[in-house]
Amino acid sequence: MRLITLKTGEKVPALGAGTWHMGERKDARAGEVSALKTALDLGLTLIDTAEMYGEGGAEEVVADAISGQRDRVYLVSKIYPHNASRKGTRAACERSLRRLRTDRLDLYLLHWRGSHPLAETVEAFEALKEGGKIRGWGVSNFDVADLGSLSSVAGGGNCLTDQVLYHLGARGVEWRLFDTCRKSDVMVMAYSPLGQGRPLGNRAVKTIADKHACDPGAIALAWVLRQEGVLAIPKASRVAHVRANVKALEIKLDSADLAALDVAFPPPKGASPLEML
Ligand code: NAP
């Protein structure tokens, strides 16, 4: 497994597993657990979830998938911005821990910036860290200016990651955000790295997939992972998709592949507001 080193020195897998829309339907649960277990078996030991996903349902699916192997997993969950007050953060974290049937999160993220002052949320994250409830914290959907605000609050420099939308069809973050994160050693976690399937039907992606004898999904992910220090968290609730996606780790896109993808999905030519789902 390719690893990414966090500013704490800890290493995490470059390819993880997302869980949005899991835990929403009872009849889908067994399949979702089985897909996540397959991901873990194949070395995708970072699992990304959130209290928002299925209003806690996804965290319960994750609990089933990691049962008996919690120590192998780097577990990421997220707090709703409206819960991220000094008191609310602790309560939301406890609820997530209960649903996940674990005593700690490896990483706890503010899902997007809300109205509670960042200083309060950071203080609450740091208190959870001291109490052993979380091992680290980060943010999601933070643009360059938001990261600037974060760095000015006490403890803001302890932010480990910014989880942002990044895929072939959404490249705006390449303009400034990636550099900003690299300068402060904040790992970029790419969400929706498959573009929720949309770019996979593109002719250039299909041609490159044929050349590398793999699934278009593996090409889309290899393209995201070409960026040093960027981690991808594709969601797959079908085992076949998990197996296809893990092949991304073996694919090295050459300059002709990258040039063809730049034509099909042009890089940004200037600043634009951060895209988010
Ligand atoms: P995604 O990973 O880009 O795409 C997921 C979709 O692609 C699912 O419909 C999945 O189908 C399908 N898929 C997976 N592998 C495939 C393959 N090889 N070929 C064709 N289709 C394939 O989208 P996402 O779920 O939005 O993003 C990934 C994760 O990022 C989320 O699950 C979540 O954990 C996180 N996220 C975070 C935020 C945030 O605001 N922080 C926002 C969005 C997402 P099946 O499920 O049927 O296998």
Side-chain angles (χ1 to χ4, degrees), residues 24 92 94 178 251:
E24 292 177 355
E94 291 289 356
F178 279 4
I251 293 163

Side-chain angles (χ1 to χ4, degrees), residues 224-242:
V224 168
L225 296 175
R226 82 201 186 287
Q227 295 267 1
E228 196 65 30
V230 174
L231 191 151
I233 45 167
K235 177 257 188 178
S237 40
R238 289 178 236 186
V239 168
H241 280 161
V242 177

